[in-house]
Amino acid sequence: MLDNPDREINDRGADRQPGTSRRNFLKIAALAGATVSLGGSIARANGEIGFWASELSDEQLLAMYTTILRIRWHERTMADKMLTDPGYRGYIVPGLYRVHGAFDPDLLRRAWDAVTARHEALRTVFVMRDGEPRQRIVDDLPAEWIEEDWRGKPIAAAHARAAELTADGFDLVRGPLFRIAWLRTDPPAEAGGVTHATPGSRTTHDDTDAGLRHGLLLLVAHHLITDGWSDQLLARDLSRACAALGAGQAVVLDPPPPCRFRDFAFWQRQTEDGTQARAHRDAWRRRLLEPTPAPALQLPADGPRATTAERLCAQQAFVLDGPAGQDWRAQIPAARRSAALIAASFALLHIESGQTDLVIGMPVAGRERPELQDQVGLHLNMLPLRLRIDPALSLRALVEQCAHLLDDALSRAEYPFARLVEALGIATPPGRHPVFDVMLIIHQHDTPVFRLDGAEVTPLPSPTPGGRFDLDIELWLDDAGLHGFLEYDRGLFSSSRAATWGAHLHATLMALAQAPERSLAALRTTLTGYSEARERADFVAQSLALDEDF
């Protein structure tokens, strides 16, 4: 099978490891095969063992292939939680879409099988070995497929069913960890269907043309096998596979990435106690523990704090578009927009709590290495951003402070947050996160939407099965401005309070653009004054137009 069995394992120039032949590689693989099933991936690897190959001896390769199922620190806490508490729903990632047109569910199913064959993360399950979660790659693991007919029923009923399917957990041991549900519904009247009125809110429609289908398409994954970056890759590959099948052609996707997920997991384990890792750990400890740890966030609450990790959540939509959104983009330089969003989030927490020592968690893609940029899997890492706020500073100075804070955190972004939590040794009260209670997610790309030839696919707000934080601020930067939502613990906070937060965030962002020399203290006084002087509905409307005051 090999044209030259003595050829070096890695044929990529500087990455070669002299003296390690493919013959030795196959010998090592054969030895490891007695104890570990690798799903046939050794034979498919064709000697490409990853960017870290030059650092490994034959003995290390043998060790790798006998412990290859050890997972990364990024996944360890998540997998441990799910294996010990299978009902936990805080790590479920849903995507809901409205589909209208010539949609063939069977074609989508076959396209997904082709995508699954390319990305081994989609064929991954997790087991406990010696008290530690491990990965296992399965050769063939189709997604869970659900197809139901909701025609003749209220569209709200189909949405409720999508929420139920989102809340259903996953069996990490048996898999699969991906669920696809096609809920066929009546076409809306504007889609060209003929409406038949029936009592109540029920309507039925006839498709005007044969082959047209309408409904909700739900894609649900466990966070252990995907992240935001991965969603973009999956949307790309799924679109290509659907296009090929729709044209009657065979699906030809790019070869699987040469650096597999397990390769990076092993590399991370090999370097976790190195000099650089220790330096990153010590710097994080100084930032988060000295002179004392940041106090717990005390946002005004409307209900008791739950003592369990999982929260029942709701969402408050947030939009900054139109002339206001265009003005914001024009006033905030592109290089400072992420810092401005971080500054606005810290300002919001200060305005609501009055606290000046705050920590926000911010996930980053974790794809600094080019070998990882075409790989589906959970690579994101969490950066705990701690800021000591001086309310007398101007909003412009606050943005600059957050820019330096972000640069400093990004320089240590490879250090696994889960390992940092262990190193910090902070006692965590029930119902709280070990380091922070608010997460900020900034998306620099649109919501991933795959293409179905002949059908219109529109993303919808996704069901919220459960959360892990008091507040999750999730924002998308686009050409029109900003949009997103505030996901909050609805047992702890009321919807009216969340609406106020959304209005305050809007006003703060406008102030950053239009009145950057204004102090945070003055902004807080203005916003809290509005809250006290007006009924909430009037206040929200006023604060949404607050740019007139600046």
Side-chain angles (χ1 to χ4, degrees):
M1 185 170 68
L2 297 175
D3 55 346
N4 179 5
D6 286 321
R7 216 170 93 196
E8 292 176 347
I9 287 179
N10 201 311
D11 297 325
R12 291 183 295 165
D15 284 341
R16 291 179 181 176
Q17 183 181 355
T20 308
S21 66
R22 287 192 175 186
R23 177 182 294 153
N24 286 339
F25 173 76
L26 294 176
K27 175 182 176 183
I28 292 168
L31 288 171
T35 56
V36 175
S37 171
L38 298 180
S41 59
I42 289 178
R44 292 194 301 270
N46 291 326
E48 294 284 351
I49 62 173
F51 61 89
W52 38 263
S54 60
E55 304 173 8
L56 302 183
S57 65
D58 285 2
E59 290 75 16
Q60 287 174 315
L61 279 172
L62 177 57
M64 175 191 125
Y65 281 111
T66 55
T67 62
I68 194 69
L69 301 181
R70 295 183 70 188
I71 67 176
R72 299 172 58 201
W73 279 95
H74 294 61
E75 307 165 286
R76 182 174 179 178
T77 302
M78 193 182 298
D80 189 52
K81 174 66 177 176
M82 291 302 302
L83 288 168
T84 56
D85 184 9
Y88 182 65
R89 297 175 296 177
Y91 296 119
I92 294 176
V93 183
L96 184 64
Y97 303 86
R98 181 175 60 241
V99 177
H100 161 61
F103 171 60
D104 182 355
D106 182 63
L107 183 147
L108 177 65
R109 190 171 187 171
R110 289 185 289 134
W112 183 258
D113 288 343
V115 175
T116 300
R118 180 173 190 261
H119 298 288
E120 66 179 20
L122 302 177
R123 295 178 278 109
T124 297
V125 294
F126 295 82
V127 297
M128 289 294 269
R129 291 280 172 83
D130 301 323
E132 183 179 342
R134 305 284 183 99
Q135 283 180 311
R136 184 166 68 89
I137 311 300
V138 181
D139 280 341
D140 184 25
L141 188 64
E144 178 185 359
W145 180 269
I146 298 168
E147 191 169 348
E148 297 176 354
D149 192 341
W150 287 82
R151 287 176 293 179
K153 300 175 183 178
I155 189 63
H159 279 274
R161 177 57 175 157
E164 289 178 0
L165 293 171
T166 300
D168 285 348
F170 291 99
D171 186 336
L172 265 65
V173 176
R174 296 183 179 182
L177 304 186
F178 205 103
R179 179 179 302 124
I180 303 176
W182 165 242
L183 308 180
R184 189 172 184 182
T185 65
D186 297 309
E190 61 269 21
V194 180
T195 303
H196 304 281
T198 57
S201 60
R202 236 177 255 272
T203 60
T204 60
H205 301 265
D206 293 332
D207 291 349
T208 55
D209 298 305
L212 291 184
R213 291 183 174 87
H214 314 271
L216 301 179
L217 185 63
L218 177 69
L219 308 180
V220 188
H222 196 286
H223 212 336
L224 275 167
I225 64 169
T226 189
D227 55 19
W229 188 292
S230 300
D231 292 345
Q232 300 288 328
L233 301 177
L234 293 175
R236 178 201 66 191
D237 285 356
L238 187 60
S239 298
R240 291 176 180 174
C242 286
L245 292 173
Q249 301 172 358
V251 177
V252 181
L253 299 176
D254 294 337
C259 174
R260 296 156 299 172
F261 196 74
R262 70 188 74 177
D263 299 340
F264 189 71
F266 178 73
W267 174 84
Q268 188 182 68
R269 289 282 187 170
Q270 291 293 105
T271 59
E272 65 185 22
D273 291 317
T275 302
Q276 187 179 53
R278 291 195 299 271
H280 289 336
R281 178 201 62 200
D282 293 344
W284 278 121
R285 283 176 56 86
R286 287 192 298 271
R287 168 71 72 176
L288 297 171
L289 297 181
E290 296 179 4
T292 59
L297 179 63
Q298 301 294 339
L299 289 171
D302 303 297
R305 177 177 295 278
T307 57
T308 58
E310 185 175 339
R311 325 288 184 89
L312 294 177
C313 292
Q315 292 182 352
Q316 171 67 39
F318 177 88
V319 178
L320 178 62
D321 59 4
Q326 294 171 5
D327 181 67
W328 190 86
R329 289 181 63 90
Q331 297 296 327
I332 305 295
R336 282 292 183 264
R337 286 174 190 160
S338 291
L341 296 181
I342 295 170
S345 301
F346 274 116
L348 175 67
L349 299 186
H350 169 68
I351 290 167
E352 307 305 328
S353 70
Q355 294 174 243
T356 56
D357 190 355
L358 299 164
V359 183
I360 291 177
M362 180 176 171
V364 291
R367 309 278 180 149
E368 294 84 4
R369 297 178 180 273
E371 295 87 352
L372 306 179
Q373 294 183 2
D374 195 40
Q375 186 184 90
V376 168
L378 177 62
H379 282 286
L380 67 81
N381 194 25
M382 193 70 72
L383 304 182
L385 306 179
R386 182 181 185 181
L387 186 67
R388 295 172 179 85
I389 291 176
D390 179 358
L393 286 178
S394 69
L395 297 177
R396 188 191 305 277
L398 179 63
V399 172
E400 290 305 309
Q401 190 178 9
C402 289
H404 292 303
L405 178 67
L406 179 59
D407 287 343
D408 180 66
L410 289 173
S411 69
R412 298 191 292 276
E414 282 194 349
Y415 192 79
F417 176 71
R419 192 162 194 228
L420 175 61
V421 171
E422 289 191 1
L424 293 175
I426 299 175
T428 307
R432 285 196 178 271
H433 189 274
V435 182
F436 50 82
D437 291 305
V438 174
M439 181 169 67
L440 169 65
I441 304 176
I442 301 174
H443 298 276
Q444 303 286 352
H445 49 73
D446 292 332
T447 303
V449 178
F450 52 90
R451 296 185 303 277
L452 296 173
D453 290 346
E456 179 183 344
V457 181
T458 306
L460 299 174
S462 298
T464 53
R468 292 170 285 138
F469 304 99
D470 290 1
L471 179 63
D472 175 359
I473 305 171
E474 193 156 353
L475 300 172
W476 279 261
L477 277 164
D478 56 29
D479 292 339
L482 281 167
H483 70 277
F485 57 82
L486 280 66
E487 184 176 283
Y488 59 95
D489 182 342
R490 58 186 173 92
L492 193 58
F493 308 113
S494 66
S495 59
S496 58
R497 187 177 298 279
T500 299
W501 289 348
H504 279 175
L505 181 60
H506 189 288
T508 301
L509 286 166
M510 292 305 302
L512 287 174
Q514 298 185 354
E517 300 309 323
R518 193 180 183 94
S519 71
L520 179 56
L523 178 64
R524 183 170 189 257
T525 299
T526 300
L527 293 179
T528 54
Y530 275 124
S531 297
E532 294 168 0
R534 291 174 173 80
E535 293 293 330
R536 257 199 175 100
D538 292 340
F539 159 67
V540 169
Q542 174 67 36
S543 57
L544 287 175
L546 196 59
D547 56 294
E548 296 178 1
D549 290 4
F550 294 114

